[in-house]
Each structure stands twice: as structure tokens, then as C-alpha cells.
Amino acid sequence: MKNFTYTRADSVEGAISLLSQNANSKFLGGGTNLVDLMREEVEQPDALIDVTGIASAGITENADGGISIGAAVRNTAVANHPLVRERYPVLSQAILFGASGQIRNMATVGGNLMQRTRCYYFYDEASRCNKRTPGAGCDAIGGFNRMHAILGTSESCIAAHPSDMCVALAALEAVVHVEGPEGARAIPFEAFHRLPGHTPHQETDLRPDELITSVQLPAMRFAKHSRYRKVRDRASYAFALVSVAAALEIADGKIQNVRLALGGVAHKPWRAHAAEEILQGGEARMETFASAAEAELSSARGYGHNDFKIELAKRTIAGVLSEMAKAGGSPWV
Ligand code: SF4
């Protein structure tokens, strides 16, 4: 591993100022992904600025009934917070389905948003990877691609986004607050992560000199009827083959409100707009759920080993929605 300097920041302004002093520096949260990448020499910063000590507002209730989550809050604290469990159970469940207890105790909200794909070729210096070396090619296309994306892919990259938490945040229409030398700004969650296109190395809308300060969850009354389903190769400590984050409100047999997002299928958490359009106002029954899933996956493309994800995603969407309809809204059944 290359040598680097380590500094702890005690304020947002201080962190941004420290970053500006070295063009090849990075913010450090829990380090649960960045340190691995440094060990593999995929990331080689000269300086790390630890932002976990910045005084954070923690998790607070906003005037409109939404909540604000400080970027340095640990994943475990978010998953266990009473407001999150009561109003946004899908977020709590998504976090608890991710990684291991030890990793969740270390990982921060801001770091989770910035974690990078677990594409094997990305971590392997001997492989061609456009994300690691722009223009080099992509060994996953035509290679072993069982974990890779089926939606929104490009000729340059078919990597999948690894986060569970971010899938829930996409469904909940979170807003990411960031701060940099030019001031503060708010980025809608759907615009925060990017599809690969021809520039898979540019993964987010965050500028290199900006720091994530908080994630805001808007008030969404029906999100208390929400849940997360993760399909993976083993029962714990595995990334999603396919995951579904859903919030659903049903009255008189009709779908009054719905939010749906998918994980494990795209370069970013995938908000399922095509499915939502069919579901909204429709009859709450299996035929509607299956049609919605079919519509969402109509543009999907498999690359050989991951072809099975297309059918798996359809069945998982329909299954989760059907279970939610039968459970009468309880997220914890
Ligand atoms: Fe690299 Fe993306 Fe190809 Fe993986 S899928 S090898 S991350 S370019």
C-alpha cells in the first residue's frame, strides 16, 4: 500500500479546506470500502481526511415530519433508530440486510453513498477495466458476469451498484445535502449516482471538492408500509443478486401510492418508474404486480452468466408486492 497522511477534521469547513490543500486527497468515513481499495492499490490517495469526528446533527425530525440523517452517522445507528423503524422500515431493513454487524457499526451514511462496485475485474490490476483505467476496455463483458447489471448498462461498463441502503433511499426519494468551496447544494437521490455511459469512472454527481453533509428523507406517510427484499447467494454477508425496496398503500383494493426501487441490477440504485406507472391506481392483485414487473424489465439485457437476473427481478418485484398486499401493510411480517 502506498504511504499517505492521515488528518482528522473537526468541522465541515475544516474538512473542505484540508481537501483543497492536496489534489490527491480523499475523505474517510468508516473506511470499510476505501481501505480495501487502497490495499488493492485501486485507490492511491496521498492524504486521507477523516470526517467521522465532525459534529453531526445525528438523526433529527424535520418540521414537515421527514427526518435528517447526518453523513457521519453509523449505519447501525440509522437501522436501529425508532423514527426510522417506525416511519421508514424499508431503510432499516435494507441496512440490516447489508454486510455484517461489525461493518455496519463502522460504515457511515456518507461513505455508503460513495462505496464502489464490487466487480471482480475492477479490483484485479491484471484485468481490463474502464472504471479503473478509462479507455482500457471491460473484461466483465464476455467474462464472468453473474453479479453484473442488466439495466442501464453501456458498452463501457456493466458493473452493479453494491449498496442496499441506497436502494431504500432511492425508493424514499431522499435528498443528498453536500457542501464545497462554492457553497451548499441539495441533490435529489435519483440524480446522485450515474449510469456508466462512456464515463463509468464518474460514478456520482458529487464534485471532487464537495463533502456529503446529510441525507434528508421527505415526509412520506405511507412509507410506514414499506419493506426490503434481498435475494443473494447465502443468508448473510453477500451482495444482492436482486433486491427490491417497496412502499405501498392500498385502499379499497386499489393502489393509492407506491414507490419501488431495485438493487443489484444497475450501475446505480434503480428507481422503477415504469412499474410505478402501471401500479399507481391499479387493482392490488398479482396480475397488476406481474405486469408492472414485466414493464420494468422490458429493457433489461443479460450478458450470459447474469441472464437469470431478468426473470429473478420480475418474480421478486411481483412477490414482494403481493406479500405486502396480503400483509395489510405491516412491514415486519
Ligand atoms: Fe470495470 Fe465496469 Fe467492466 Fe467491471 S464492468 S470490468 S467495473 S468497466
Side-chain angles (χ1 to χ4, degrees):
M1 188 193 280
K2 184 182 143 187
N3 286 341
F4 59 91
T5 63
Y6 170 87
T7 316
R8 277 178 75 84
D10 55 12
S11 67
V12 171
E13 298 73 24
I16 294 166
S17 166
L18 282 167
L19 194 84
S20 70
Q21 292 167 23
N22 187 331
N24 189 27
S25 51
K26 284 210 167 273
F27 292 129
L28 176 71
T32 55
N33 183 214
L34 178 57
V35 174
D36 283 347
L37 289 162
M38 289 170 65
R39 281 199 197 103
E40 299 292 335
E41 301 195 336
V42 176
E43 299 266 15
Q44 299 189 47
D46 292 323
L48 289 184
I49 299 149
D50 187 335
V51 291
T52 56
I54 293 176
S56 159
I59 299 175
T60 52
E61 186 173 10
N62 298 332
D64 68 352
I67 62 171
S68 169
I69 306 172
V73 177
R74 306 285 176 175
N75 282 188
T76 298
V78 179
N80 292 337
H81 197 281
L83 278 178
V84 175
R85 285 176 58 85
E86 184 198 326
R87 296 184 190 174
Y88 308 97
V90 66
L91 177 58
S92 179
Q93 292 173 4
I95 293 171
L96 294 175
F97 272 118
S100 65
Q102 293 91 338
I103 291 173
R104 294 193 295 270
N105 288 343
M106 284 297 292
T108 62
V109 168
N112 195 309
L113 266 62
M114 296 304 292
Q115 67 174 303
R116 307 193 71 188
T117 184
R118 297 318 198 274
C119 170
Y120 346 99
Y121 301 101
F122 175 60
Y123 285 75
D124 176 14
E125 278 284 310
S127 299
R128 295 179 307 148
C129 173
N130 286 320
K131 188 182 282 297
R132 186 166 21 81
T133 312
C138 170
D139 274 345
I141 299 172
F144 183 63
N145 46 44
R146 187 166 182 276
M147 294 297 292
H148 288 71
I150 52 172
L151 288 165
T153 54
S154 74
E155 290 173 4
S156 298
C157 180
I158 60 169
H161 195 269
S163 171
D164 293 296
M165 186 187 86
C166 288
V167 184
L169 293 177
L172 294 171
E173 299 180 334
V175 177
V176 184
H177 286 247
V178 307
E179 211 163 312
E182 310 293 319
R185 66 189 180 110
I187 308 170
F189 202 80
E190 202 170 356
F192 186 81
H193 296 100
R194 296 183 180 185
L195 289 176
H198 296 300
T199 54
H201 57 291
Q202 292 172 353
E203 295 168 353
T204 71
D205 192 46
L206 193 72
R207 297 174 193 138
D209 55 1
E210 286 180 323
L211 175 68
I212 300 170
T213 53
S214 72
V215 172
Q216 307 287 326
L217 293 183
M220 191 183 280
R221 185 183 41 78
F222 70 97
K224 65 184 180 193
H225 305 305
S226 64
R227 67 169 62 179
Y228 189 72
R229 170 69 48 81
K230 180 174 182 177
V231 183
R232 49 188 164 170
D233 280 327
R234 55 176 187 259
S236 73
Y237 201 38
F239 292 97
L241 295 166
V242 166
S243 68
V244 172
L248 188 67
E249 182 176 46
I250 297 168
D252 300 326
K254 289 246 167 76
I255 299 164
Q256 306 297 314
N257 279 300
V258 62
R259 297 288 186 279
L260 198 64
L262 309 179
V265 296
H267 195 258
K268 59 185 280 185
W270 186 266
R271 178 73 182 275
H273 288 292
E276 286 181 6
E277 208 167 296
I278 288 175
L279 293 165
Q280 185 70 43
E283 302 277 342
R285 55 195 169 100
M286 186 46 113
E287 290 78 2
T288 314
F289 304 146
S291 303
E294 200 67 44
E296 194 60 52
L297 274 297
S298 62
S299 64
R301 177 190 165 186
Y303 290 83
H305 299 100
N306 68 350
D307 293 351
F308 73 98
K309 282 193 178 187
I310 299 174
E311 186 60 28
L312 181 62
K314 289 179 193 173
R315 292 186 190 195
T316 309
I317 292 170
V320 168
L321 294 173
S322 172
E323 282 173 22
M324 290 178 79
K326 279 186 201 143
S330 172
W332 298 101
V333 175

